[in-house]
Amino acid sequence: MRSINCLSHLSLIAGLAACVNGDITASGSNFSLSGAGVSYRFHVDPRSGDLISDHFGGPIDDFTDPATISNSGWSTGLDNVGTPGLTNIRREFPDIGRSDFRLPAIHISHANGDTVSAFTYQSHEVVQGKPSLIGLPATFGKEGEVTTLIVRLYDNYSDVSAALSYSVFPEYNAIARSFQITNNGTNNISIERAASFSTDLPNLDLKMLELQGDWSHEANRVIRNVDFGETGFRSTEGYSSHVHNPFFALHDPTTTETTGEAWGFNLVYTGSFAATAERFSHGFVRVLLGLNPLHASIPVGPGRTFQSPEAVAVYSSHGLGGMSRSFHDLYRKHLSRSNHTFETRPILLNSWEGLGANINESSLENLAQETAELGIKLFVMDDGWFGTAPYARTNDTAGLGDWTPNPARFPNGLGPYVDTVDSYSVANSTNDLAFGIWIEPEMVNPNSTLYHEHPEWVMHAGNHVRTLTRTQLVLNLGLPEVQDYIINAISNIIDSANISYIKWDNNRGIHEMSSPAADYAYTLGMYRVMDNLTGSYPEILWEGCASGGGRFDAGILHYYPQSWTSDNTDASDRLTIQLGTSLAYPLSSMACHVSKVPNGLNMRNISIEYRAHVALMCGSFGFELNPSELSDEERSAIPSILSTWEKINPIVISGSFYRIAWPGDTNWPAVQFVSEDTNTAAVFAFQQGAIIKPAAPPLRMQGLNATARYTSNAFNGTLSGNTLMNGGLNLPWKLADYQSMLVWLYKE
Ligand code: DGJ
């Protein structure tokens, strides 16, 4: 990391010449961060030293005067240094007091009980590349890929300093932002509120789009007006959660998938969070994304520093699709640090929906053998393999925490069993079957040896009842001894057998905590465990899971290149869930499986072709069923599904993704991939219901080369990119429910 000579100090502001460092210009008191299609600008108020937001949007070249607001009135008076009241000003790092009535980005409780802060500019520095965040996941990049501006602020009244970090990734129109608070005083302080990203947008007409849901119902688009007051949502579940995802977009009411302005915000964090857009009387919109204040009150002792999580903001003038592709590309190249991020993922069969926890060596051997015979490369043993009587994991009431194979089910241990699995040759391949395993290391059942030995290791609040969910409790990963226990237990499993994939599950939220700050400590502890294990075993393909998509977030994506998207494997529901998830997260990071019909959750009966098409649009594709229950028709479709997977998976892993039509908006949803070399495109098109009228709209592609000509499996001869994008294809849908087609396009 190279720091360039752009140091400044408040006393020098007036006369300092512009210091241009690629994508960041620090010109006296003005800061400008630029990307291919974005400008992010703010400046220091010369009278108060406050940071003032100027612009976050499409490229601009000049500083322009801010909107004039009348300073009369009860909420808008002058402050004591003669600046217009801070309520009327667009601020970058709002604190509490000093005439700003809006929500703050930083709220500190001082030892004397007051919560006023007065952070004013001290100095700044520009560095090439990006410093890492100690203990927290974050985007990364080298010189030439990312440039970082660090702005230092000081509160003279309380001896607390702040360092704001802005990193611009110009190729993706993305700004990553985080901050540190250092207690330079002699008394403890407490962080009550910390919004990693905060900026004030002007008086624009905006909608807020978020991903709302629940178990088996994740990632539904919800769009509302950003009206006066607070518009927002939060997770208080201890995790990012199924209910709300730490992502939202603000967009113009006219914005579509392909046109218009959109701002995307995403927290790189797995704990509780809060997201807010607050519109005040003048119409300015304060954007805040960071910790949930209910799970903050984080103590910072004298000489200590608090590090906020990172938030990423992306600007798009090409609609929501442009915003999503920026996130996808940024996250694949500069967030997911797994060796597997750009590798095709092995096609797998998971035992859960086929056998549940009712497994033993012989039933699993049969399943593994059938897996290999079908030509599937990885066999995954899900829940039910561990714990010893009386705490054996034969159902979900016992065993969590005791990470040794159940001797009644695996009399010879895991190693010899996995050797047997490994000895099966995969049909039509030179590979032997690989083995993967399920674990849920952050949890404990009261019915376990671990809980009996360490009841003090669980999250709890004094003598309050320890609320059970799925008859389990959450281990307190804020404790170093718990972190070490998990690291050792999981390392022992990995060392005992030839394991090439791990599904890391988490099946409940956090209820009672010893203090609100325990969630932040837990999350940091969890990251330490994940960092340690993925660092020690980088060749393993790690998959995140939390009762499906309960932790589908950018924090997990830093460590694990993929996550199980939902426990709902009904293909029609899954289409909605996957498209919602794709607003922020790359398809390459989604794990999606074909399961049996009728579906176990909603009894829906959908053809194997449609089920496969929905699952094939994800980076990790597989089956989750008992092959012995396949019909002849389903079994005979498998070779063609496998060959489609061979072809599509590299494109899903590294190509670009386009949402052509959403399932909630039309009977004919469709998505498209374009390969990284742009020579191939693949469109998954669906018909949900058989309807006589109206006719299906033409399937109009996106992201093609307008003047190139394409051949296809869907038409004879060639068609130009212009024809396919502006005219489109009329697909020959049958009058039947749940139809699907995969259209390939090859550039000539
Ligand atoms: C919840 C997961 O989401 C499922 O896929 C499965 O692994 C079960 N847990 C096992 O208990």
Side-chain angles (χ1 to χ4, degrees):
M1 201 116 33
R2 194 162 60 87
S3 174
I4 64 154
N5 190 17
C6 267
L7 302 175
S8 178
H9 187 272
L10 186 57
S11 58
L12 300 176
I13 285 175
L16 196 76
C19 176
V20 182
N21 175 22
D23 311 307
I24 295 185
T25 305
S27 169
S29 58
N30 276 290
F31 302 102
S32 169
L33 291 74
S34 314
V38 67
S39 285
Y40 191 103
R41 297 179 70 119
F42 61 99
H43 73 274
V44 181
D45 183 292
R47 290 163 297 185
S48 68
D50 270 290
L51 297 186
I52 312 298
S53 307
D54 292 325
H55 177 77
F56 177 26
I60 61 170
D61 304 312
D62 307 289
F63 173 77
T64 54
D65 286 331
T68 310
I69 307 284
S70 159
N71 271 312
S72 58
W74 123 302
S75 63
T76 52
L78 295 182
D79 74 5
N80 56 2
V81 288
T83 49
L86 289 175
T87 289
N88 278 343
I89 288 182
R90 290 170 50 203
R91 301 177 71 198
E92 270 303 284
F93 192 58
D95 41 29
I96 285 194
R98 302 188 301 129
S99 75
D100 192 342
F101 287 121
R102 293 163 292 179
L103 286 175
I106 182 70
H107 177 188
I108 296 173
S109 183
H110 301 290
N112 65 1
D114 84 51
T115 59
V116 177
S117 293
F119 284 110
T120 56
Y121 173 86
Q122 288 289 302
S123 65
H124 70 266
E125 179 187 355
V126 177
V127 293
Q128 291 284 3
K130 184 170 184 291
S132 51
L133 270 62
I134 295 169
L136 281 158
T139 52
F140 53 80
K142 301 192 292 281
E143 179 169 348
E145 297 172 335
V146 56
T147 313
T148 301
L149 167 69
I150 298 164
V151 181
R152 299 188 204 290
L153 311 169
Y154 206 86
D155 176 2
N156 288 318
Y157 298 92
S158 63
D159 278 341
V160 176
S161 56
L164 307 191
S165 171
Y166 294 81
S167 297
V168 55
F169 289 89
E171 212 182 313
Y172 311 101
N173 297 322
I175 315 281
R177 161 99 181 259
S178 62
F179 65 83
Q180 293 180 340
I181 296 289
T182 300
N183 179 0
N184 304 292
T186 51
N187 295 308
N188 287 334
I189 61 170
S190 167
I191 308 289
E192 303 299 331
R193 186 184 279 267
S196 307
F197 203 96
S198 60
T199 194
D200 285 348
L201 298 174
N203 181 11
L204 301 172
D205 192 6
L206 292 170
K207 300 270 183 194
M208 175 187 262
L209 182 164
E210 70 132 326
L211 300 176
Q212 171 280 336
D214 206 320
W215 172 76
S216 281
H217 184 58
E218 296 89 341
N220 299 282
R221 274 179 313 166
V222 171
I223 300 174
R224 46 196 143 175
N225 288 332
V226 176
D227 214 326
F228 291 102
E230 293 167 37
T231 306
F233 53 92
R234 58 176 65 189
S235 160
T236 45
E237 305 193 14
Y239 305 112
S240 46
S241 93
H242 301 83
V243 181
H244 299 285
N245 193 279
F247 155 82
F248 65 97
L250 298 178
H251 62 83
D252 187 88
T254 61
T255 293
T256 67
E257 274 294 323
T258 52
T259 61
E261 290 193 285
W263 294 258
F265 302 91
N266 195 199
L267 194 63
V268 186
Y269 188 62
T270 308
S272 295
F273 69 89
T276 315
E278 183 185 10
R279 189 186 287 280
F280 203 69
S281 59
H282 38 48
F284 296 164
V285 176
R286 174 158 293 174
V287 180
L288 299 168
L289 178 61
L291 299 183
N292 182 336
L294 284 177
H295 288 171
S297 298
I298 298 163
V300 184
R304 315 284 303 190
T305 294
F306 161 79
Q307 171 68 63
S308 84
E310 177 168 287
V312 175
V314 157
Y315 172 76
S316 162
S317 56
H318 299 288
L320 293 165
M323 175 202 73
S324 297
R325 283 185 291 282
S326 284
F327 275 124
H328 297 176
D329 291 344
L330 178 76
Y331 284 178
R332 286 183 292 190
K333 294 200 176 117
H334 298 286
L335 176 69
S336 174
R337 59 173 209 186
S338 162
N339 293 345
H340 300 279
T341 304
F342 283 101
E343 283 177 1
T344 57
R345 313 286 160 78
I347 187 165
L348 63 81
L349 186 138
N350 175 298
S351 66
W352 180 245
E353 287 202 29
L355 301 181
N358 186 19
I359 54 175
N360 59 40
E361 211 174 68
S362 87
S363 68
L364 283 170
E365 267 175 35
N366 288 342
L367 199 64
Q369 212 161 358
E370 287 181 286
T371 302
E373 281 164 16
L374 286 172
I376 295 168
K377 298 182 176 178
L378 169 65
F379 172 69
V380 178
M381 174 174 74
D382 209 282
D383 199 352
W385 59 269
F386 51 92
T388 304
Y391 305 127
R393 181 77 167 175
T394 50
N395 54 48
D396 63 14
T397 62
L400 288 173
D402 298 347
W403 296 109
T404 48
N406 177 353
R409 291 184 167 187
F410 298 92
N412 306 311
L414 213 51
Y417 165 68
V418 176
D419 289 344
T420 310
V421 170
D422 284 348
S423 70
Y424 299 136
S425 313
V426 176
N428 309 317
S429 150
T430 50
N431 294 3
D432 290 333
L433 190 60
F435 177 80
I437 197 166
W438 175 97
I439 52 175
E440 192 181 356
E442 298 159 70
M443 299 291 157
V444 64
N445 286 118
N447 287 329
S448 66
T449 307
L450 182 69
Y451 189 70
H452 282 86
E453 285 174 1
H454 291 290
E456 78 286 7
W457 276 9
V458 301
M459 290 294 239
H460 67 285
N463 292 327
H464 281 283
V465 168
R466 301 173 177 200
T467 304
L468 290 171
T469 304
R470 210 193 191 205
T471 51
Q472 62 196 55
L473 294 165
V474 182
L475 288 170
N476 182 358
L477 271 74
L479 300 173
E481 56 272 33
V482 172
Q483 297 162 19
D484 292 342
Y485 171 79
I486 294 174
I487 290 169
N488 287 334
I490 304 311
S491 300
N492 287 342
I493 298 168
I494 297 171
D495 294 341
S496 74
N498 188 15
I499 292 170
S500 60
Y501 157 106
I502 292 184
K503 176 177 171 187
W504 181 293
D505 204 350
N506 175 315
N507 285 299
R508 60 160 286 179
I510 298 173
H511 296 293
E512 298 78 25
M513 293 193 270
S514 55
S515 77
D519 183 45
Y520 178 76
Y522 178 101
T523 308
L524 262 63
M526 182 193 77
Y527 289 143
R528 181 189 157 230
V529 170
M530 290 180 173
D531 183 56
N532 181 299
L533 287 169
T534 53
S536 302
Y537 301 99
E539 70 290 351
I540 288 182
L541 175 59
W542 297 84
E543 176 170 310
C545 174
S547 296
R551 291 202 306 202
F552 211 116
D553 63 59
I556 296 290
L557 185 54
H558 182 67
Y559 303 99
Y560 299 166
Q562 61 189 52
S563 281
W564 180 228
T565 318
S566 176
D567 275 353
N568 186 340
T569 54
D570 167 67
S572 176
D573 288 355
R574 258 308 187 102
L575 199 53
T576 303
I577 293 169
Q578 291 167 200
L579 262 72
T581 308
S582 80
L583 275 159
Y585 308 104
L587 278 288
S588 58
S589 68
M590 295 182 204
C592 305
H593 301 166
V594 173
S595 62
K596 68 162 196 212
V597 286
N599 181 270
L601 269 183
N602 60 15
M603 304 308 283
R604 202 173 267 146
N605 217 321
I606 293 187
S607 73
I608 183 112
E609 192 182 38
Y610 184 116
R611 279 179 277 154
H613 282 159
V614 171
L616 281 163
M617 68 177 71
C618 301
S620 178
F621 169 77
F623 292 85
E624 191 156 335
L625 42 71
N626 188 342
S628 65
E629 294 172 4
L630 287 169
S631 68
D632 290 347
E633 190 200 339
E634 288 173 321
R635 190 171 282 277
S636 64
I638 288 190
S640 127
I641 293 171
L642 264 55
S643 66
T644 306
W645 165 78
E646 295 271 2
K647 225 168 126 182
I648 194 81
N649 196 246
I651 300 177
V652 173
I653 293 293
S654 56
S656 301
F657 178 72
Y658 298 82
R659 291 176 296 264
I660 295 183
W662 283 79
D665 297 347
T666 172
N667 190 40
W668 295 276
V671 302
Q672 181 190 332
F673 291 90
V674 176
S675 64
E676 202 179 5
D677 64 10
T678 73
N679 287 333
T680 310
V683 184
F684 290 100
F686 303 91
Q687 172 173 281
Q688 301 287 71
I691 55 174
I692 296 168
K693 294 269 167 54
L699 178 71
R700 298 203 286 180
M701 281 78 170
Q702 297 176 27
L704 302 179
N705 180 322
T707 53
R709 297 199 70 81
Y710 292 84
T711 58
S712 173
N713 60 334
F715 52 83
N716 295 322
T718 65
L719 293 174
S720 75
N722 261 333
T723 305
L724 290 162
M725 291 191 289
N726 299 324
L729 290 182
N730 292 303
L731 297 180
W733 293 114
K734 287 185 231 143
L735 196 58
D737 292 341
Y738 300 118
Q739 301 292 295
S740 68
M741 291 185 213
L742 173 53
V743 176
W744 289 96
L745 299 167
Y746 308 101
K747 192 153 66 171
E748 278 212 311

